[in-house]
Amino acid sequence: MFYLFTKSILIEIGFKKESYYIGNAKFEFLPESVLNNCFSSANWNRALKYKTTAHEINEKYFMLDVDIYWNLNFQKIELMSKIFFFNEILNSKHFKDTFLDTLFSHYFKHTLKLKKTKSIDKTFIEEYAPDIFKDNLRIKEFDNFLILNEEISTTDKKFKSVSELKHDSFKWKVNKFNQIIYSFPKSILPKNTLVKNTDFIDLNNSLFYINSQSMLNKNLTLEFCISNENIKNEILEKMILEIQKSKDPLNNWHLFNLTKDLRYLKNELVKIKNSSDLVESYLKDVYSKLKRNYDKELENLYRIS
């Protein structure tokens, strides 16, 4: 069982003579704890309600927290409540046929969604053990992210540099916001199901983000965050090789931007010392091309050296 989310709903309870009605079911008795904690709907007009099919009744409502799980073995959605009485109601055919889509739509009504449905199954869940990460498409800080899905736009994101998969070899450019956009060939990607399903990777923190409609229900959105340093390092090594292979004169600066590894700045210091150019003018030229100032990093490096 894989936990997805919890949603609060109002269960409408119909009162008529000596009987009670919930959904399409009739009850002769209800637990005292339920009866003592159900109320009129005075201020709950906008709340999500599971209504009864009975007519000419008096209604009250019970606020219920519903936990939604993915049963991996039987490939179905299961719903649970800490109040045992409601579990059979929640998993009844009537509830699932008439209300489950509404529940999902209500929970995800403000969620951003991507068009492509990913191949996420029991094997994937068990292998990568994802965490739920709500609203992952609304992440604003995209510094040193690798974008795998072309649907992801970086126009409203904050970053110093970001990487995409758009060319057959390493390339880079600086946009009008003085942000560096790197481009790498798709060949840097290993062939595994994590990468296949991932939309973007935080290279600083080894986090893989996934947004997808569920194959179980089109109204259910799967939003995952998976930590995997080994696969991130495998990708990063290939990105480094692409930069080195390009023989770009600013290689060490690109490699530092990508890895935050100070040894690349050390390499650059050696290069500067061996150059006939004045250090100050050399750095000024680099900063001008990359639209970034590295004085703080170089000062720290001098201090360490």
Side-chain angles (χ1 to χ4, degrees), residues 58-79:
N58 296 315
E59 307 97 359
K60 286 191 176 182
Y61 292 91
F62 185 88
M63 179 66 77
L64 184 70
D65 289 335
V66 181
D67 298 326
I68 291 85
Y69 290 87
W70 176 0
N71 187 319
L72 299 171
N73 290 325
F74 294 97
Q75 286 302 298
K76 64 178 183 177
I77 301 298
E78 292 192 9
L79 298 94

mmCIF file with all atom_site columns, all heavy atoms in Angstrom, residues 58-79:
data_model
loop_
_atom_site.group_PDB
_atom_site.id
_atom_site.type_symbol
_atom_site.label_atom_id
_atom_site.label_alt_id
_atom_site.label_comp_id
_atom_site.label_asym_id
_atom_site.label_entity_id
_atom_site.label_seq_id
_atom_site.pdbx_PDB_ins_code
_atom_site.Cartn_x
_atom_site.Cartn_y
_atom_site.Cartn_z
_atom_site.occupancy
_atom_site.B_iso_or_equiv
_atom_site.pdbx_formal_charge
_atom_site.auth_seq_id
_atom_site.auth_comp_id
_atom_site.auth_asym_id
_atom_site.auth_atom_id
_atom_site.pdbx_PDB_model_num
ATOM 1   N N   . ASN A 1 58 ? -34.135 14.706 6.703   1.00 0.00 ? 58 ASN A N   1
ATOM 2   C CA  . ASN A 1 58 ? -33.392 15.772 7.367   1.00 0.00 ? 58 ASN A CA  1
ATOM 3   C C   . ASN A 1 58 ? -31.906 15.445 7.254   1.00 0.00 ? 58 ASN A C   1
ATOM 4   O O   . ASN A 1 58 ? -31.508 14.296 7.470   1.00 0.00 ? 58 ASN A O   1
ATOM 5   C CB  . ASN A 1 58 ? -33.793 15.876 8.841   1.00 0.00 ? 58 ASN A CB  1
ATOM 6   C CG  . ASN A 1 58 ? -35.252 16.284 8.993   1.00 0.00 ? 58 ASN A CG  1
ATOM 7   O OD1 . ASN A 1 58 ? -35.712 17.196 8.308   1.00 0.00 ? 58 ASN A OD1 1
ATOM 8   N ND2 . ASN A 1 58 ? -35.967 15.603 9.881   1.00 0.00 ? 58 ASN A ND2 1
ATOM 9   N N   . GLU A 1 59 ? -31.097 16.454 6.890   1.00 0.00 ? 59 GLU A N   1
ATOM 10  C CA  . GLU A 1 59 ? -29.676 16.178 6.676   1.00 0.00 ? 59 GLU A CA  1
ATOM 11  C C   . GLU A 1 59 ? -28.816 16.810 7.759   1.00 0.00 ? 59 GLU A C   1
ATOM 12  O O   . GLU A 1 59 ? -29.081 17.905 8.233   1.00 0.00 ? 59 GLU A O   1
ATOM 13  C CB  . GLU A 1 59 ? -29.196 16.722 5.325   1.00 0.00 ? 59 GLU A CB  1
ATOM 14  C CG  . GLU A 1 59 ? -30.019 16.279 4.129   1.00 0.00 ? 59 GLU A CG  1
ATOM 15  C CD  . GLU A 1 59 ? -31.046 17.328 3.730   1.00 0.00 ? 59 GLU A CD  1
ATOM 16  O OE1 . GLU A 1 59 ? -31.110 18.376 4.411   1.00 0.00 ? 59 GLU A OE1 1
ATOM 17  O OE2 . GLU A 1 59 ? -31.782 17.075 2.764   1.00 0.00 ? 59 GLU A OE2 1
ATOM 18  N N   . LYS A 1 60 ? -27.780 16.079 8.100   1.00 0.00 ? 60 LYS A N   1
ATOM 19  C CA  . LYS A 1 60 ? -26.666 16.614 8.880   1.00 0.00 ? 60 LYS A CA  1
ATOM 20  C C   . LYS A 1 60 ? -25.378 16.114 8.233   1.00 0.00 ? 60 LYS A C   1
ATOM 21  O O   . LYS A 1 60 ? -25.412 15.237 7.372   1.00 0.00 ? 60 LYS A O   1
ATOM 22  C CB  . LYS A 1 60 ? -26.768 16.175 10.348  1.00 0.00 ? 60 LYS A CB  1
ATOM 23  C CG  . LYS A 1 60 ? -27.861 16.911 11.125  1.00 0.00 ? 60 LYS A CG  1
ATOM 24  C CD  . LYS A 1 60 ? -27.735 16.647 12.618  1.00 0.00 ? 60 LYS A CD  1
ATOM 25  C CE  . LYS A 1 60 ? -28.762 17.467 13.403  1.00 0.00 ? 60 LYS A CE  1
ATOM 26  N NZ  . LYS A 1 60 ? -28.639 17.270 14.861  1.00 0.00 ? 60 LYS A NZ  1
ATOM 27  N N   . TYR A 1 61 ? -24.259 16.697 8.665   1.00 0.00 ? 61 TYR A N   1
ATOM 28  C CA  . TYR A 1 61 ? -22.991 16.348 8.021   1.00 0.00 ? 61 TYR A CA  1
ATOM 29  C C   . TYR A 1 61 ? -21.937 15.980 9.057   1.00 0.00 ? 61 TYR A C   1
ATOM 30  O O   . TYR A 1 61 ? -21.864 16.561 10.137  1.00 0.00 ? 61 TYR A O   1
ATOM 31  C CB  . TYR A 1 61 ? -22.484 17.518 7.171   1.00 0.00 ? 61 TYR A CB  1
ATOM 32  C CG  . TYR A 1 61 ? -23.349 17.770 5.974   1.00 0.00 ? 61 TYR A CG  1
ATOM 33  C CD1 . TYR A 1 61 ? -24.421 18.657 6.048   1.00 0.00 ? 61 TYR A CD1 1
ATOM 34  C CD2 . TYR A 1 61 ? -23.124 17.103 4.770   1.00 0.00 ? 61 TYR A CD2 1
ATOM 35  C CE1 . TYR A 1 61 ? -25.238 18.881 4.951   1.00 0.00 ? 61 TYR A CE1 1
ATOM 36  C CE2 . TYR A 1 61 ? -23.930 17.321 3.672   1.00 0.00 ? 61 TYR A CE2 1
ATOM 37  C CZ  . TYR A 1 61 ? -24.985 18.210 3.763   1.00 0.00 ? 61 TYR A CZ  1
ATOM 38  O OH  . TYR A 1 61 ? -25.802 18.424 2.680   1.00 0.00 ? 61 TYR A OH  1
ATOM 39  N N   . PHE A 1 62 ? -21.119 15.009 8.656   1.00 0.00 ? 62 PHE A N   1
ATOM 40  C CA  . PHE A 1 62 ? -20.011 14.562 9.507   1.00 0.00 ? 62 PHE A CA  1
ATOM 41  C C   . PHE A 1 62 ? -18.704 14.813 8.763   1.00 0.00 ? 62 PHE A C   1
ATOM 42  O O   . PHE A 1 62 ? -18.532 14.341 7.633   1.00 0.00 ? 62 PHE A O   1
ATOM 43  C CB  . PHE A 1 62 ? -20.149 13.078 9.849   1.00 0.00 ? 62 PHE A CB  1
ATOM 44  C CG  . PHE A 1 62 ? -19.110 12.576 10.808  1.00 0.00 ? 62 PHE A CG  1
ATOM 45  C CD1 . PHE A 1 62 ? -19.314 12.655 12.175  1.00 0.00 ? 62 PHE A CD1 1
ATOM 46  C CD2 . PHE A 1 62 ? -17.916 12.026 10.342  1.00 0.00 ? 62 PHE A CD2 1
ATOM 47  C CE1 . PHE A 1 62 ? -18.361 12.197 13.071  1.00 0.00 ? 62 PHE A CE1 1
ATOM 48  C CE2 . PHE A 1 62 ? -16.959 11.561 11.225  1.00 0.00 ? 62 PHE A CE2 1
ATOM 49  C CZ  . PHE A 1 62 ? -17.169 11.650 12.598  1.00 0.00 ? 62 PHE A CZ  1
ATOM 50  N N   . MET A 1 63 ? -17.786 15.567 9.388   1.00 0.00 ? 63 MET A N   1
ATOM 51  C CA  . MET A 1 63 ? -16.498 15.850 8.758   1.00 0.00 ? 63 MET A CA  1
ATOM 52  C C   . MET A 1 63 ? -15.578 14.640 8.927   1.00 0.00 ? 63 MET A C   1
ATOM 53  O O   . MET A 1 63 ? -15.309 14.202 10.043  1.00 0.00 ? 63 MET A O   1
ATOM 54  C CB  . MET A 1 63 ? -15.852 17.089 9.400   1.00 0.00 ? 63 MET A CB  1
ATOM 55  C CG  . MET A 1 63 ? -14.498 17.447 8.816   1.00 0.00 ? 63 MET A CG  1
ATOM 56  S SD  . MET A 1 63 ? -14.577 17.986 7.089   1.00 0.00 ? 63 MET A SD  1
ATOM 57  C CE  . MET A 1 63 ? -15.190 19.673 7.300   1.00 0.00 ? 63 MET A CE  1
ATOM 58  N N   . LEU A 1 64 ? -15.092 14.126 7.795   1.00 0.00 ? 64 LEU A N   1
ATOM 59  C CA  . LEU A 1 64 ? -14.296 12.899 7.817   1.00 0.00 ? 64 LEU A CA  1
ATOM 60  C C   . LEU A 1 64 ? -12.993 13.101 7.050   1.00 0.00 ? 64 LEU A C   1
ATOM 61  O O   . LEU A 1 64 ? -12.990 13.582 5.916   1.00 0.00 ? 64 LEU A O   1
ATOM 62  C CB  . LEU A 1 64 ? -15.089 11.756 7.173   1.00 0.00 ? 64 LEU A CB  1
ATOM 63  C CG  . LEU A 1 64 ? -14.433 10.377 7.203   1.00 0.00 ? 64 LEU A CG  1
ATOM 64  C CD1 . LEU A 1 64 ? -14.412 9.835  8.637   1.00 0.00 ? 64 LEU A CD1 1
ATOM 65  C CD2 . LEU A 1 64 ? -15.185 9.400  6.294   1.00 0.00 ? 64 LEU A CD2 1
ATOM 66  N N   . ASP A 1 65 ? -11.872 12.723 7.663   1.00 0.00 ? 65 ASP A N   1
ATOM 67  C CA  . ASP A 1 65 ? -10.585 12.698 6.978   1.00 0.00 ? 65 ASP A CA  1
ATOM 68  C C   . ASP A 1 65 ? -10.427 11.346 6.281   1.00 0.00 ? 65 ASP A C   1
ATOM 69  O O   . ASP A 1 65 ? -10.512 10.293 6.929   1.00 0.00 ? 65 ASP A O   1
ATOM 70  C CB  . ASP A 1 65 ? -9.428  12.895 7.963   1.00 0.00 ? 65 ASP A CB  1
ATOM 71  C CG  . ASP A 1 65 ? -9.358  14.313 8.489   1.00 0.00 ? 65 ASP A CG  1
ATOM 72  O OD1 . ASP A 1 65 ? -9.846  15.227 7.790   1.00 0.00 ? 65 ASP A OD1 1
ATOM 73  O OD2 . ASP A 1 65 ? -8.825  14.513 9.592   1.00 0.00 ? 65 ASP A OD2 1
ATOM 74  N N   . VAL A 1 66 ? -10.196 11.396 4.984   1.00 0.00 ? 66 VAL A N   1
ATOM 75  C CA  . VAL A 1 66 ? -10.087 10.178 4.183   1.00 0.00 ? 66 VAL A CA  1
ATOM 76  C C   . VAL A 1 66 ? -8.648  10.031 3.688   1.00 0.00 ? 66 VAL A C   1
ATOM 77  O O   . VAL A 1 66 ? -8.112  10.931 3.022   1.00 0.00 ? 66 VAL A O   1
ATOM 78  C CB  . VAL A 1 66 ? -11.044 10.217 2.975   1.00 0.00 ? 66 VAL A CB  1
ATOM 79  C CG1 . VAL A 1 66 ? -10.934 8.934  2.162   1.00 0.00 ? 66 VAL A CG1 1
ATOM 80  C CG2 . VAL A 1 66 ? -12.474 10.437 3.440   1.00 0.00 ? 66 VAL A CG2 1
ATOM 81  N N   . ASP A 1 67 ? -8.023  8.926  4.012   1.00 0.00 ? 67 ASP A N   1
ATOM 82  C CA  . ASP A 1 67 ? -6.668  8.630  3.540   1.00 0.00 ? 67 ASP A CA  1
ATOM 83  C C   . ASP A 1 67 ? -6.768  7.821  2.251   1.00 0.00 ? 67 ASP A C   1
ATOM 84  O O   . ASP A 1 67 ? -7.457  6.795  2.208   1.00 0.00 ? 67 ASP A O   1
ATOM 85  C CB  . ASP A 1 67 ? -5.893  7.828  4.581   1.00 0.00 ? 67 ASP A CB  1
ATOM 86  C CG  . ASP A 1 67 ? -5.709  8.590  5.884   1.00 0.00 ? 67 ASP A CG  1
ATOM 87  O OD1 . ASP A 1 67 ? -5.564  9.816  5.821   1.00 0.00 ? 67 ASP A OD1 1
ATOM 88  O OD2 . ASP A 1 67 ? -5.709  7.953  6.950   1.00 0.00 ? 67 ASP A OD2 1
ATOM 89  N N   . ILE A 1 68 ? -6.054  8.274  1.206   1.00 0.00 ? 68 ILE A N   1
ATOM 90  C CA  . ILE A 1 68 ? -6.108  7.618  -0.094  1.00 0.00 ? 68 ILE A CA  1
ATOM 91  C C   . ILE A 1 68 ? -4.817  6.849  -0.323  1.00 0.00 ? 68 ILE A C   1
ATOM 92  O O   . ILE A 1 68 ? -3.713  7.416  -0.195  1.00 0.00 ? 68 ILE A O   1
ATOM 93  C CB  . ILE A 1 68 ? -6.350  8.633  -1.243  1.00 0.00 ? 68 ILE A CB  1
ATOM 94  C CG1 . ILE A 1 68 ? -7.771  9.193  -1.161  1.00 0.00 ? 68 ILE A CG1 1
ATOM 95  C CG2 . ILE A 1 68 ? -6.190  7.967  -2.597  1.00 0.00 ? 68 ILE A CG2 1
ATOM 96  C CD1 . ILE A 1 68 ? -7.945  10.356 -0.259  1.00 0.00 ? 68 ILE A CD1 1
ATOM 97  N N   . TYR A 1 69 ? -4.939  5.571  -0.643  1.00 0.00 ? 69 TYR A N   1
ATOM 98  C CA  . TYR A 1 69 ? -3.790  4.696  -0.860  1.00 0.00 ? 69 TYR A CA  1
ATOM 99  C C   . TYR A 1 69 ? -3.852  4.068  -2.253  1.00 0.00 ? 69 TYR A C   1
ATOM 100 O O   . TYR A 1 69 ? -4.925  3.878  -2.819  1.00 0.00 ? 69 TYR A O   1
ATOM 101 C CB  . TYR A 1 69 ? -3.772  3.556  0.173   1.00 0.00 ? 69 TYR A CB  1
ATOM 102 C CG  . TYR A 1 69 ? -3.446  3.994  1.577   1.00 0.00 ? 69 TYR A CG  1
ATOM 103 C CD1 . TYR A 1 69 ? -4.456  4.438  2.430   1.00 0.00 ? 69 TYR A CD1 1
ATOM 104 C CD2 . TYR A 1 69 ? -2.141  3.956  2.058   1.00 0.00 ? 69 TYR A CD2 1
ATOM 105 C CE1 . TYR A 1 69 ? -4.171  4.833  3.732   1.00 0.00 ? 69 TYR A CE1 1
ATOM 106 C CE2 . TYR A 1 69 ? -1.843  4.351  3.359   1.00 0.00 ? 69 TYR A CE2 1
ATOM 107 C CZ  . TYR A 1 69 ? -2.861  4.791  4.181   1.00 0.00 ? 69 TYR A CZ  1
ATOM 108 O OH  . TYR A 1 69 ? -2.570  5.180  5.462   1.00 0.00 ? 69 TYR A OH  1
ATOM 109 N N   . TRP A 1 70 ? -2.684  3.732  -2.752  1.00 0.00 ? 70 TRP A N   1
ATOM 110 C CA  . TRP A 1 70 ? -2.554  2.962  -3.990  1.00 0.00 ? 70 TRP A CA  1
ATOM 111 C C   . TRP A 1 70 ? -2.184  1.542  -3.593  1.00 0.00 ? 70 TRP A C   1
ATOM 112 O O   . TRP A 1 70 ? -1.098  1.296  -3.075  1.00 0.00 ? 70 TRP A O   1
ATOM 113 C CB  . TRP A 1 70 ? -1.473  3.601  -4.848  1.00 0.00 ? 70 TRP A CB  1
ATOM 114 C CG  . TRP A 1 70 ? -1.126  2.889  -6.125  1.00 0.00 ? 70 TRP A CG  1
ATOM 115 C CD1 . TRP A 1 70 ? -1.654  1.729  -6.616  1.00 0.00 ? 70 TRP A CD1 1
ATOM 116 C CD2 . TRP A 1 70 ? -0.148  3.320  -7.086  1.00 0.00 ? 70 TRP A CD2 1
ATOM 117 N NE1 . TRP A 1 70 ? -1.071  1.404  -7.809  1.00 0.00 ? 70 TRP A NE1 1
ATOM 118 C CE2 . TRP A 1 70 ? -0.147  2.360  -8.121  1.00 0.00 ? 70 TRP A CE2 1
ATOM 119 C CE3 . TRP A 1 70 ? 0.712   4.408  -7.155  1.00 0.00 ? 70 TRP A CE3 1
ATOM 120 C CZ2 . TRP A 1 70 ? 0.716   2.466  -9.219  1.00 0.00 ? 70 TRP A CZ2 1
ATOM 121 C CZ3 . TRP A 1 70 ? 1.555   4.519  -8.247  1.00 0.00 ? 70 TRP A CZ3 1
ATOM 122 C CH2 . TRP A 1 70 ? 1.551   3.565  -9.265  1.00 0.00 ? 70 TRP A CH2 1
ATOM 123 N N   . ASN A 1 71 ? -3.096  0.603  -3.817  1.00 0.00 ? 71 ASN A N   1
ATOM 124 C CA  . ASN A 1 71 ? -2.821  -0.811 -3.557  1.00 0.00 ? 71 ASN A CA  1
ATOM 125 C C   . ASN A 1 71 ? -1.986  -1.339 -4.720  1.00 0.00 ? 71 ASN A C   1
ATOM 126 O O   . ASN A 1 71 ? -2.485  -1.567 -5.814  1.00 0.00 ? 71 ASN A O   1
ATOM 127 C CB  . ASN A 1 71 ? -4.128  -1.599 -3.426  1.00 0.00 ? 71 ASN A CB  1
ATOM 128 C CG  . ASN A 1 71 ? -3.897  -3.031 -2.985  1.00 0.00 ? 71 ASN A CG  1
ATOM 129 O OD1 . ASN A 1 71 ? -2.967  -3.680 -3.438  1.00 0.00 ? 71 ASN A OD1 1
ATOM 130 N ND2 . ASN A 1 71 ? -4.769  -3.531 -2.115  1.00 0.00 ? 71 ASN A ND2 1
ATOM 131 N N   . LEU A 1 72 ? -0.691  -1.493 -4.474  1.00 0.00 ? 72 LEU A N   1
ATOM 132 C CA  . LEU A 1 72 ? 0.239   -1.868 -5.545  1.00 0.00 ? 72 LEU A CA  1
ATOM 133 C C   . LEU A 1 72 ? 0.031   -3.291 -6.032  1.00 0.00 ? 72 LEU A C   1
ATOM 134 O O   . LEU A 1 72 ? 0.232   -3.585 -7.215  1.00 0.00 ? 72 LEU A O   1
ATOM 135 C CB  . LEU A 1 72 ? 1.677   -1.691 -5.058  1.00 0.00 ? 72 LEU A CB  1
ATOM 136 C CG  . LEU A 1 72 ? 2.083   -0.267 -4.660  1.00 0.00 ? 72 LEU A CG  1
ATOM 137 C CD1 . LEU A 1 72 ? 3.449   -0.267 -3.992  1.00 0.00 ? 72 LEU A CD1 1
ATOM 138 C CD2 . LEU A 1 72 ? 2.083   0.655  -5.865  1.00 0.00 ? 72 LEU A CD2 1
ATOM 139 N N   . ASN A 1 73 ? -0.371  -4.182 -5.155  1.00 0.00 ? 73 ASN A N   1
ATOM 140 C CA  . ASN A 1 73 ? -0.539  -5.588 -5.548  1.00 0.00 ? 73 ASN A CA  1
ATOM 141 C C   . ASN A 1 73 ? -1.751  -5.800 -6.441  1.00 0.00 ? 73 ASN A C   1
ATOM 142 O O   . ASN A 1 73 ? -1.707  -6.569 -7.399  1.00 0.00 ? 73 ASN A O   1
ATOM 143 C CB  . ASN A 1 73 ? -0.649  -6.469 -4.300  1.00 0.00 ? 73 ASN A CB  1
ATOM 144 C CG  . ASN A 1 73 ? 0.666   -6.562 -3.555  1.00 0.00 ? 73 ASN A CG  1
ATOM 145 O OD1 . ASN A 1 73 ? 1.734   -6.564 -4.167  1.00 0.00 ? 73 ASN A OD1 1
ATOM 146 N ND2 . ASN A 1 73 ? 0.603   -6.625 -2.235  1.00 0.00 ? 73 ASN A ND2 1
ATOM 147 N N   . PHE A 1 74 ? -2.836  -5.084 -6.139  1.00 0.00 ? 74 PHE A N   1
ATOM 148 C CA  . PHE A 1 74 ? -4.072  -5.275 -6.900  1.00 0.00 ? 74 PHE A CA  1
ATOM 149 C C   . PHE A 1 74 ? -4.356  -4.118 -7.860  1.00 0.00 ? 74 PHE A C   1
ATOM 150 O O   . PHE A 1 74 ? -5.385  -4.100 -8.524  1.00 0.00 ? 74 PHE A O   1
ATOM 151 C CB  . PHE A 1 74 ? -5.250  -5.463 -5.939  1.00 0.00 ? 74 PHE A CB  1
ATOM 152 C CG  . PHE A 1 74 ? -5.175  -6.730 -5.131  1.00 0.00 ? 74 PHE A CG  1
ATOM 153 C CD1 . PHE A 1 74 ? -4.672  -6.704 -3.841  1.00 0.00 ? 74 PHE A CD1 1
ATOM 154 C CD2 . PHE A 1 74 ? -5.566  -7.940 -5.677  1.00 0.00 ? 74 PHE A CD2 1
ATOM 155 C CE1 . PHE A 1 74 ? -4.580  -7.881 -3.094  1.00 0.00 ? 74 PHE A CE1 1
ATOM 156 C CE2 . PHE A 1 74 ? -5.475  -9.117 -4.941  1.00 0.00 ? 74 PHE A CE2 1
ATOM 157 C CZ  . PHE A 1 74 ? -4.979  -9.085 -3.645  1.00 0.00 ? 74 PHE A CZ  1
ATOM 158 N N   . GLN A 1 75 ? -3.418  -3.149 -7.926  1.00 0.00 ? 75 GLN A N   1
ATOM 159 C CA  . GLN A 1 75 ? -3.536  -2.019 -8.842  1.00 0.00 ? 75 GLN A CA  1
ATOM 160 C C   . GLN A 1 75 ? -4.912  -1.340 -8.754  1.00 0.00 ? 75 GLN A C   1
ATOM 161 O O   . GLN A 1 75 ? -5.666  -1.260 -9.725  1.00 0.00 ? 75 GLN A O   1
ATOM 162 C CB  . GLN A 1 75 ? -3.246  -2.472 -10.278 1.00 0.00 ? 75 GLN A CB  1
ATOM 163 C CG  . GLN A 1 75 ? -1.776  -2.730 -10.550 1.00 0.00 ? 75 GLN A CG  1
ATOM 164 C CD  . GLN A 1 75 ? -0.917  -1.498 -10.277 1.00 0.00 ? 75 GLN A CD  1
ATOM 165 O OE1 . GLN A 1 75 ? -1.071  -0.459 -10.906 1.00 0.00 ? 75 GLN A OE1 1
ATOM 166 N NE2 . GLN A 1 75 ? -0.018  -1.588 -9.306  1.00 0.00 ? 75 GLN A NE2 1
ATOM 167 N N   . LYS A 1 76 ? -5.220  -0.873 -7.564  1.00 0.00 ? 76 LYS A N   1
ATOM 168 C CA  . LYS A 1 76 ? -6.479  -0.155 -7.364  1.00 0.00 ? 76 LYS A CA  1
ATOM 169 C C   . LYS A 1 76 ? -6.307  0.869  -6.252  1.00 0.00 ? 76 LYS A C   1
ATOM 170 O O   . LYS A 1 76 ? -5.348  0.813  -5.470  1.00 0.00 ? 76 LYS A O   1
ATOM 171 C CB  . LYS A 1 76 ? -7.612  -1.123 -7.034  1.00 0.00 ? 76 LYS A CB  1
ATOM 172 C CG  . LYS A 1 76 ? -7.443  -1.871 -5.716  1.00 0.00 ? 76 LYS A CG  1
ATOM 173 C CD  . LYS A 1 76 ? -8.649  -2.768 -5.460  1.00 0.00 ? 76 LYS A CD  1
ATOM 174 C CE  . LYS A 1 76 ? -8.540  -3.470 -4.111  1.00 0.00 ? 76 LYS A CE  1
ATOM 175 N NZ  . LYS A 1 76 ? -9.734  -4.301 -3.814  1.00 0.00 ? 76 LYS A NZ  1
ATOM 176 N N   . ILE A 1 77 ? -7.235  1.809  -6.216  1.00 0.00 ? 77 ILE A N   1
ATOM 177 C CA  . ILE A 1 77 ? -7.252  2.830  -5.172  1.00 0.00 ? 77 ILE A CA  1
ATOM 178 C C   . ILE A 1 77 ? -8.068  2.331  -3.991  1.00 0.00 ? 77 ILE A C   1
ATOM 179 O O   . ILE A 1 77 ? -9.173  1.807  -4.172  1.00 0.00 ? 77 ILE A O   1
ATOM 180 C CB  . ILE A 1 77 ? -7.853  4.147  -5.703  1.00 0.00 ? 77 ILE A CB  1
ATOM 181 C CG1 . ILE A 1 77 ? -7.042  4.666  -6.881  1.00 0.00 ? 77 ILE A CG1 1
ATOM 182 C CG2 . ILE A 1 77 ? -7.916  5.196  -4.595  1.00 0.00 ? 77 ILE A CG2 1
ATOM 183 C CD1 . ILE A 1 77 ? -5.606  5.011  -6.569  1.00 0.00 ? 77 ILE A CD1 1
ATOM 184 N N   . GLU A 1 78 ? -7.538  2.494  -2.792  1.00 0.00 ? 78 GLU A N   1
ATOM 185 C CA  . GLU A 1 78 ? -8.273  2.133  -1.586  1.00 0.00 ? 78 GLU A CA  1
ATOM 186 C C   . GLU A 1 78 ? -8.333  3.347  -0.664  1.00 0.00 ? 78 GLU A C   1
ATOM 187 O O   . GLU A 1 78 ? -7.394  4.139  -0.597  1.00 0.00 ? 78 GLU A O   1
ATOM 188 C CB  . GLU A 1 78 ? -7.619  0.945  -0.874  1.00 0.00 ? 78 GLU A CB  1
ATOM 189 C CG  . GLU A 1 78 ? -7.743  -0.349 -1.667  1.00 0.00 ? 78 GLU A CG  1
ATOM 190 C CD  . GLU A 1 78 ? -7.359  -1.574 -0.858  1.00 0.00 ? 78 GLU A CD  1
ATOM 191 O OE1 . GLU A 1 78 ? -7.166  -1.435 0.377   1.00 0.00 ? 78 GLU A OE1 1
ATOM 192 O OE2 . GLU A 1 78 ? -7.245  -2.654 -1.452  1.00 0.00 ? 78 GLU A OE2 1
ATOM 193 N N   . LEU A 1 79 ? -9.452  3.489  0.027   1.00 0.00 ? 79 LEU A N   1
ATOM 194 C CA  . LEU A 1 79 ? -9.663  4.630  0.920   1.00 0.00 ? 79 LEU A CA  1
ATOM 195 C C   . LEU A 1 79 ? -9.868  4.135  2.346   1.00 0.00 ? 79 LEU A C   1
ATOM 196 O O   . LEU A 1 79 ? -10.530 3.110  2.559   1.00 0.00 ? 79 LEU A O   1
ATOM 197 C CB  . LEU A 1 79 ? -10.878 5.444  0.468   1.00 0.00 ? 79 LEU A CB  1
ATOM 198 C CG  . LEU A 1 79 ? -10.735 6.056  -0.930  1.00 0.00 ? 79 LEU A CG  1
ATOM 199 C CD1 . LEU A 1 79 ? -11.357 5.146  -1.978  1.00 0.00 ? 79 LEU A CD1 1
ATOM 200 C CD2 . LEU A 1 79 ? -11.359 7.423  -0.992  1.00 0.00 ? 79 LEU A CD2 1
#
